[in-house]
Structures are given as C-alpha cells and as structure tokens.
C-alpha cells in the first residue's frame, strides 16, 4: 500500500508494485506446497509430481485473472502455467521452459486464450522447445465480432482446461485431446458486464472511466471496451441481454444439457453472483436449456473489477463425465 | 441495479434491495441442488440428506458474509444455516425451525458468533425448540477487548465449523462436540484490516467513510470500527501488526503446528490475498509457528469491503486429522 501516482493513492494490499506477482506466486506455492512448485526464476508454476506418459497441459497469460491459470494447476487440470506481468503475455522463454519441464515425451497441449501476444509467444515457445506440441485456442467471448483477430478467450477457458485435463489424466493422446479441447471451445460462449473499472498496480489509477450511473456491456477481462456503455440495469435485465446474446450465437438449445458458470471479476461478492446465477438460470431454462452443472465464483478475474460474466458450455455425456472427474488444484477441487 | 439513495446510485448486481437475500438463496440452492435445500419460507438452508443419529450442527447470522454460513452446509460441516437480513441477526423462529428440521434426536450444537443479537436469538430459539441443545460461542477477534460483551466472532468461526463438523460426522456425542468446539475457539485468533467500507444494499451508501490514504486496523466484519485508523501501510507492515497482535494474545507458539487462514472481505482479489499470506507466513514462521495447513480465499466477507483478515488456529494431532477429513459444501470441498 504505497503512494504511486499523481492521481492519488492506490488501495491495494502490496509492498511494491514491481514485486506483486513474485510475492503472490510465493504465497500461492507456499500455501499449496502439496500440489505446486515454482521454478527458481518464477517463470512458471508446475505440478509437484508429474504423471509419467501423460500428455502435459500448459497454459498461461497475463496475471490479474487469478485463480486462472496458476490456481488450476494440479491433478485433473493443468501441468504448468506461466504467469506474465499484469495483463501482459508471458514471454516465449517462460513458456518454453515450462513445456520442457513438464513434457514426459507424450507431447504437450497448449491452452491459449485468443490474444495476439499470447498466441505469438506460445507459437514461438512451441518452436523453440522442440517438443511435440498441439494447441487449443479459446475464443468464447460473444461480445466481440469474429472479424479481424477474432473473439477473445475469457472464462470459458477454465471449462476447456477442466474437461481436457480430465481426459489427459485418462491417458488420451495429444491429437485426441486437441480435438476434445476444440470441441469444448466450440460449444462454449461467455459474455461479461463491468460495474467498475480495475486498477493495474503499476499504473495506480483505474484502467477506464465509468460513471456512477453507468455499466459496460461485453467488457473484456482486461477492461477492454465492450459492446456498449449503458445506464445501470437490474440483474434480470443484465442476465436477459447476456443470455440472449449467447443463445442467439449458439442456435437451438432446447433440451440440451449445459454447464452454467457465473464468474465474478474480482470485486463482486458471492451474494451478488448467486443472485445473477438465479436470474440467468431462469432465463436459460425458459429457452429450454437443461442446466446440468453449475459453477459460481470469482475464477477468471480482472483484478478488482466489479461485475461478472456468464458462460454457457454444452455438455454431452462424455464432457459431463469429464467435468465430474476428480480435480485437485488450489482453486477447484472435487 | 437501481437508484436507491439521495447520495447516488448503488453499483451492485441486484433487482431490488428488498429481495436480494431471497434471490441469492434461490441461486445458491439451485446451483447446489445435490447438497442443499431451502425451506419453503427461506428461513434456513439445510442439507438435502441428513445423517440419522448424528448430532446436528446449526449456525447462522446476518447475511453479507457469504459463503459463511450457508456455503458451509453439507457433509462434514453444518446441517443447517439461518441467514438473517444483511448484517442483522436471524429471528428466533428461523433458528427454531432449523433446529427442529435437522434434529435427529442426538441433539443440536449451535455455533454462534459472539454478537448480542445472535446470542439472544439463538438462546430464545433453543428454549422454544425443546431440543437437546449445546452452544459454542466464537470470539476470535483479537482487535477488541474481552471487556463488556467480549470479543466478536469472525473468520475463526469457519475453523470451528469445519473441525466440529468432521467430528460430528464420526458420531461423537453433543457434549464432546461442544468441548471440542470450545477448544478450537480457545486456540483460534483473528484480526482484520479494511481498505474500503462496504455498502449495505438497502442503505445504498458506504457504512463508514475512509479516506484515500487511510486504512482501518482491526475492523469488524460488519464494518465496525477497529483499533485505530491509520495511514496506508505496506502488506508487510499490516501483516506484522496483525500477526504480532495475534501472537501476543496466544503466548508462546514456538514449534506449534497451526492453520493459517488469510480471508478476503469480498472486494479484494486473490492475487493480493496470496501476497498477504506470503507476508504473514514469513512473520509467523519467524516466531517459530509451524504452518501445517493453509486456506486462502474470500470466505467470511463483509459485502464488497476491500481488505482481509488473518486467522491463526493451533492444530494438535486430532484437530489436524479433523481439518483434513472430507468436506462437501458449496464453498469448501475436499
């Protein structure tokens, strides 16, 4: 908690904005020493014990979205995760070292959120590593167009990591896991809404301005602009707009089993998330969706941003079984 | 999200401040229908399936601290929880009906946080119910004096609920569970720090004022004043002051195994909580404490308040085993 910017004081629990990631990683690994270890230079977090012969799952991205991805390393999900600086892609050498550290020879599947820096750096890392590599690109954010660089990868990424992670644990090969991951991503859609901005520690002031009576529909997990700025709406109106956008994009959902994930952005308490879940569930059920599984929590965050995203992911029998399979990570455990 | 007060607009995900608890409870129980059910009048949340012959554990208190207590109902923890209005004790009839609903004849243990309203209403409910009742009163907050009404029950309450819940599952009798709960409470201490106030939905403006460069040491989970207002400190300085207060109150800790819980108040992201954990752990280890178990997350919250509390709870061999025992609730699962 130190004075940082000319605009005022930053209200965060920290010692120094330059070491916030390092100190937080040290805490994570100390708290979960039974599951995790950190390489000497804090380039990646990995499982303490690897499973020989298993295809390794590696993900990563900018920090500030915790528990994504480091909190999802462990049995049944990732083998390693590379944390970049806040909202900044990890470097190719981080990713390369992670790949080399966890590759048991069966190959490595990279789970990459669709952002230019992440895509480019993971590609470079794949080439440098010399490992047998495949990639699943997540792009579940329906708030943005498919044109140009395409849609952003957001909270749906954790669904890919959970389901593919369970399948990897069963001993499936690299190409079958890639196909499964692409398949999960293809039936997963998300959209978010922000009530407040977030504050990057090293910047010390809010990333964007949002008025007292305003909200941002379709915001990205780095505070990127969404579809539109609007006046404050009720939870039902928000759920209605998000669910309608998702349903329109997915086509006919009548009778289809799905996972409903209501994800907090970091500054929104659980009471409000369950209320949003209640609104979203009623609307999706009206559309005929069968809510077969649910997850509510702050899992793919944007620092201290207030708001939430709603993710719908279709679950066929296989995906349902893999979703239910045991997982033992810092953030998800069953 | 509706305009509520003359001071401005309240930025929360809600439809109507009068129904926020009801809608949130509906969402909780819909999302966790495998574990939970809600009585018809939303007076209490209970396990869907009760265990015959087991002593029942019932807790409750004002809402706004989620997941405490409703998120801790399930195998290995509570049998029922009564949510009051925000920061307001549940009524005696809520508690009475919960007690009657989950009492299998082996008796009911009430876990009550030490606040006047909670204590009084649970006492009245115990009398009305006619059940065989014992009570564990939690008062782990070292920020306030023992004089007068005594110390407040805060995040340490979840440690009591987890350990006693595991013992109840093993079939222990009411008096032995009360003794165990009193024993856990006696070796558990917490203290919190607030960086921001919280906003009660029905009020629509922050509960207290806190300046840009200020923080509140020893704040309660309802925004009650703490030990003192101070200028913003670093995470290390905060951890130092809180840990020193806890250690001074507990006496010699050299070589003693303990659980370290770093608890977010609702508006503080996980990245900062793990950083605080890292600071606190180093300081406690310097005092000779053996950090045997760890828990980091927003588990006993104060709506959207930014800040955190640190809890230390000594674990002898029995308590360690009971802490590790399986738990299956909405918020804690292993």
């Amino acid at each position: 908690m130190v004075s940082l910017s000319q605009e005022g004081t930053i209200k965060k629990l920290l010692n120094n904005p330059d070491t916030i990631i390092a100190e937080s990683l040290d805490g994570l690994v100390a708290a979960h020493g039974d599951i995790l270890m950190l390489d000497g230079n804090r380039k990646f977090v990995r499982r303490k014990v690897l499973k020989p012969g298993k295809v390794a799952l590696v993900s990563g991205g900018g920090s500030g979205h915790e528990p994504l991805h480091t909190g999802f390393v462990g049995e049944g999900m990732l083998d390693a995760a590379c944390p970049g600086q806040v909202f900044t892609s990890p470097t190719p050498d981080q990713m390369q070292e992670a790949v080399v550290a966890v590759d048991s020879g069966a190959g490595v599947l990279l789970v990459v959120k669709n952002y230019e820096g992440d895509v480019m750096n993971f590609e470079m890392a794949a080439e440098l590593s010399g490992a047998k590599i495949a990639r699943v690109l997540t792009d579940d954010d329906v708030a943005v167009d498919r044109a140009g660089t395409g849609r952003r990868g957001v909270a749906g990424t954790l669904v890919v990591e959970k389901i593919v992670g369970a399948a990897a644990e069963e001993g499936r090969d690299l190409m079958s896991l890639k196909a499964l991951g692409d398949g999960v991503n293809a039936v997963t859609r998300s959209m978010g809404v922000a009530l407040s901005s977030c504050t990057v520690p090293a910047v010390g002031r809010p990333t964007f301005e949002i008025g007292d009576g305003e909200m941002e529909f379709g915001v990205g997990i780095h505070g990127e602009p969404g579809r539109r700025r609007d006046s404050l709406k009720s939870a039902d109106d928000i759920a209605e707009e998000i669910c309608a956008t998702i349903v329109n994009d997915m086509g006919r959902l009548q009778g289809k089993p799905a996972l409903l994930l209501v994800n907090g952005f970091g500054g929104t308490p659980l009471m409000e998330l369950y209320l949003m879940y209640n609104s979203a569930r009623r609307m999706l059920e009206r559309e005929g969706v069968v809510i077969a599984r649910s997850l509510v929590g702050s899992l793919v965050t944007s620092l201290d941003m207030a708001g939430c995203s709603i993710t719908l992911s279709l679950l066929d029998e296989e995906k349902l079984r893999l979703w239910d399979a045991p997982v033992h990570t810092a953030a998800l455990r069953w």
Side-chain angles (χ1 to χ4, degrees), chain A:
Chain A
M1 213 101 40
V2 279
S3 184
L4 281 177
S5 73
Q6 290 165 334
E7 280 77 17
T9 325
I10 177 173
K11 281 208 144 176
K12 288 182 184 289
L13 297 163
L14 57 81
N15 291 307
N16 176 342
D18 294 338
T19 57
I20 184 168
I21 309 290
E23 291 178 68
S24 185
L25 285 172
D26 286 352
L28 173 77
V29 171
H32 305 280
D34 53 329
I35 306 174
L36 301 175
M37 53 186 276
L38 191 58
D39 92 303
N41 298 312
R42 299 196 188 86
K43 287 186 174 173
F44 57 91
V45 171
R46 54 160 280 191
R47 289 194 203 185
K48 201 164 177 178
V49 182
L50 299 173
K51 195 166 171 176
K54 187 183 88 71
V55 171
L57 257 66
V58 175
S59 191
S63 291
H65 308 301
E66 292 70 23
L68 181 86
H69 299 273
T70 48
F72 301 144
V73 173
E75 213 181 317
M77 275 182 96
L78 301 175
D79 291 86
C82 306
Q85 288 304 305
V86 173
F87 295 173
T88 303
S89 174
T91 56
D93 70 304
Q94 282 184 270
M95 299 163 173
Q96 179 201 353
E97 290 183 33
V99 163
V100 169
V102 298
D103 183 15
S104 72
V108 178
L109 185 69
L110 306 177
V111 180
V112 185
K113 300 193 298 300
N114 188 28
Y115 298 97
E116 226 167 319
D118 289 2
V119 170
M120 201 174 64
N121 289 354
F122 264 112
E123 218 155 81
M124 221 179 297
E127 279 170 32
L128 290 169
S129 72
K132 193 168 75 175
I133 300 258
R135 185 190 75 176
V136 175
L137 198 66
T138 64
D139 61 353
D140 52 310
D141 191 348
V142 295
V144 286
D145 268 346
R146 287 196 185 282
T149 52
R151 287 176 166 172
R152 306 175 291 220
V154 289
T157 308
L158 93 81
V159 186
V160 172
E161 293 177 356
K162 170 67 187 81
I163 290 178
V164 177
E169 223 65 53
E170 293 181 348
R172 293 214 215 159
D173 70 25
L174 184 59
M175 282 306 127
S176 127
L177 292 172
K178 175 185 164 41
L180 176 66
D182 288 341
V184 174
N185 181 63
V187 295
T188 301
R189 300 286 191 285
S190 305
M191 189 168 129
V193 62
L195 307 189
S196 81
S197 180
C198 50
T199 301
V200 175
V203 177
R205 57 175 182 278
T207 301
F208 58 96
E209 290 301 326
I210 188 162
D212 263 359
E214 288 181 329
M215 53 188 294
E216 178 91 15
F217 261 108
V219 70
I221 56 173
H222 310 88
E224 305 98 315
R227 295 159 84 87
R228 69 166 204 283
R229 187 67 57 99
D230 203 339
S231 60
L232 288 175
K233 304 278 179 233
S234 71
D236 278 348
D237 286 348
I238 295 169
E240 182 77 48
E241 170 153 352
I242 294 181
C243 292
T245 308
I246 288 174
V247 167
N248 285 340
D249 200 80
M250 291 181 101
R252 194 176 151 76
L253 295 173
Q254 187 70 39
K256 292 193 180 163
L259 164 75
L260 172 56
L261 160 60
V262 174
N263 170 60
F265 281 148
T268 287
L270 205 51
M271 182 198 279
E272 296 175 45
L273 298 181
Y274 276 115
L275 189 148
M276 276 302 295
Y277 170 90
N278 189 50
S279 296
R281 180 171 180 141
R282 276 188 287 109
M283 282 157 205
L284 292 165
E285 286 184 336
R286 215 181 44 213
E287 296 293 325
V289 183
V290 178
I291 306 299
R293 293 295 181 273
S294 302
L295 188 61
V296 180
S298 292
L299 296 159
V300 179
T301 59
S302 305
L303 296 167
D304 52 353
M305 190 156 84
C308 73
S309 62
I310 297 174
T311 298
L312 195 69
S313 181
L314 298 184
L315 294 172
D316 57 20
E317 215 169 293
E318 180 194 40
K319 294 189 189 82
L320 191 71
R321 185 180 59 76
L322 293 167
W323 176 261
D324 285 343
V327 59
H328 190 160
T329 68
L332 284 188
R333 195 162 159 191
W334 59 70

